Amino acid sequence: MTLAIYRNPFTFLEAPWYRDLPDADVVISGIPFDLATSGRAGARSGPGAIRQASGNLVWDSPRWPWDFELGERLKIADAGDIDFPYGEPQLATDAIQAFARNLLDAGKTMLSFGGDHYVTLPLLREHARKHGPLALLHFDAHTDTYHDGTTFDHGCMFHHAMNEGLLLPGHSVQVGIRTTYTYAGHPFTVLDASWVNEMPARKVIERIREIIADQPVYLTFDIDCLDPAFAPGTGTPVAGGLTSDRATQIIRGLKGLDIRGMDVVEVAPAYDHAEITSLAAATLALEML
């Protein structure tokens, strides 16, 4: 079959688009919110950019190095972007939670595209309501556990999540961190970027599996976990991060974990070049699936 890969991919991987409850195992949704950004704004445009870049991925099926086609194992659909009024963080939060509640109560798994990283907090609230407290598997340059920020802050979500009892700290791990996090009582295991870059990927995967064990897990990937050479299109880039290859290898190595929800956040295409950040995000999302 000839694929017209340059037509406008208005959905992720050209998946069917639904506005009502979709007939699918996994539902893609965009969250165009960046009112909690501390650095460069623009992540509200991330969902569209990730979908657009996914047009480069639809022709490669089966997707290397897997030996099966995604559609043989998993039915996905794209529910578009969540609607909320601009300039109202609390109303946006309420809308995200209501949207997630509807999907989760229908037995769907969510793969969400931000938006800034704050959007993970309302998503976590609904996933924890549905599944109980979760292990957090968090890829980022920052821990986002800072306790001196505000209610709506993309650097404080996991501080709030801990206080709300949404997470299992002893089974949670943060990967790629390369900013200050050493303070008394830091709740999660940190695999910093230097260690992750020095170790073979299989060692990193083994350590992640050891920490998470058999707990239900929420997977969140801030694109600034990647080095700016591989992901310049983000709000708070930090040098010294992971390569796209290293991150992809680790995501592939998570096969078999009890992943209950996923997101990819902080893609800001205005700072991108040749769509490399959007393409990295789309590729990581596809590997998650």
Side-chain angles (χ1 to χ4, degrees):
M1 180 178 67
T2 301
L3 295 173
I5 64 172
Y6 295 108
R7 66 174 177 262
N8 291 325
F10 293 113
T11 64
F12 185 65
L13 301 176
E14 299 184 351
W17 183 87
Y18 291 84
R19 199 53 182 162
D20 299 320
L21 194 64
D23 176 23
D25 304 305
V26 179
V27 177
I28 312 297
S29 55
I31 311 177
F33 175 91
D34 63 4
L35 292 176
T37 303
S38 59
R40 305 184 298 194
R44 68 182 62 187
S45 300
I50 295 170
R51 290 185 177 105
Q52 189 76 27
S54 76
N56 293 288
L57 306 177
V58 295
W59 61 269
D60 185 16
S61 187
R63 175 71 180 172
W64 185 89
W66 304 104
D67 60 358
F68 62 89
E69 294 192 13
L70 179 62
E72 296 173 354
R73 307 283 183 93
L74 203 63
K75 189 173 184 178
I76 67 171
D78 194 323
D81 290 347
I82 300 174
D83 292 326
F84 47 80
Y86 67 88
E88 296 285 351
Q90 186 59 59
L91 293 180
T93 300
D94 295 342
I96 295 167
Q97 290 189 222
F99 186 92
R101 187 179 310 124
N102 183 50
L103 290 177
L104 295 174
D105 284 349
K108 309 300 181 183
T109 298
M110 296 185 68
L111 171 55
S112 306
F113 298 149
D116 69 46
H117 213 160
Y118 169 78
V119 304
T120 301
L121 180 57
L123 290 170
L124 271 175
R125 287 172 177 151
E126 292 305 316
H127 281 78
R129 180 193 62 83
K130 177 70 174 179
H131 302 295
L134 298 156
L136 179 71
L137 178 51
H138 172 207
F139 292 79
D140 207 321
H142 317 82
T143 64
D144 296 338
T145 55
Y146 310 112
H147 54 278
D148 54 355
T150 61
T151 302
F152 305 103
D153 186 330
H154 73 159
C156 301
M157 313 84 57
F158 302 129
H159 168 71
H160 296 313
M162 279 294 301
N163 287 343
E164 294 177 24
L166 308 180
L167 301 175
L168 300 170
H171 292 282
S172 296
V173 57
Q174 299 178 304
V175 181
I177 305 301
R178 52 194 186 278
T179 51
T180 301
Y181 69 89
T182 52
Y183 59 86
H186 184 77
F188 311 127
T189 300
V190 171
L191 306 181
D192 65 53
S194 293
W195 186 86
V196 173
N197 284 332
E198 290 171 2
M199 291 294 107
R202 60 179 176 80
K203 290 290 186 182
V204 180
I205 294 164
E206 288 171 3
R207 183 65 178 132
I208 291 171
R209 287 182 171 277
E210 178 185 351
I211 296 164
I212 292 174
D214 60 353
Q215 298 300 318
V217 59
Y218 188 92
L219 169 59
T220 180
F221 200 107
D222 185 328
I223 203 66
D224 73 24
C225 180
L226 302 184
D227 189 87
F230 302 90
T234 190
T236 49
V238 182
L242 279 60
T243 68
S244 53
D245 178 59
R246 173 54 55 97
T248 303
Q249 289 184 56
I250 295 171
I251 293 295
R252 288 179 187 143
L254 304 180
K255 181 181 178 182
L257 288 182
D258 186 11
I259 297 174
R260 302 297 179 92
M262 306 166 283
D263 66 51
V264 181
V265 298
E266 295 286 357
V267 172
Y271 312 106
D272 207 0
H273 172 69
E275 294 186 305
I276 60 173
T277 308
S278 301
L279 179 60
T283 301
L284 289 164
L286 175 54
E287 293 297 337
M288 291 177 186
L289 294 172

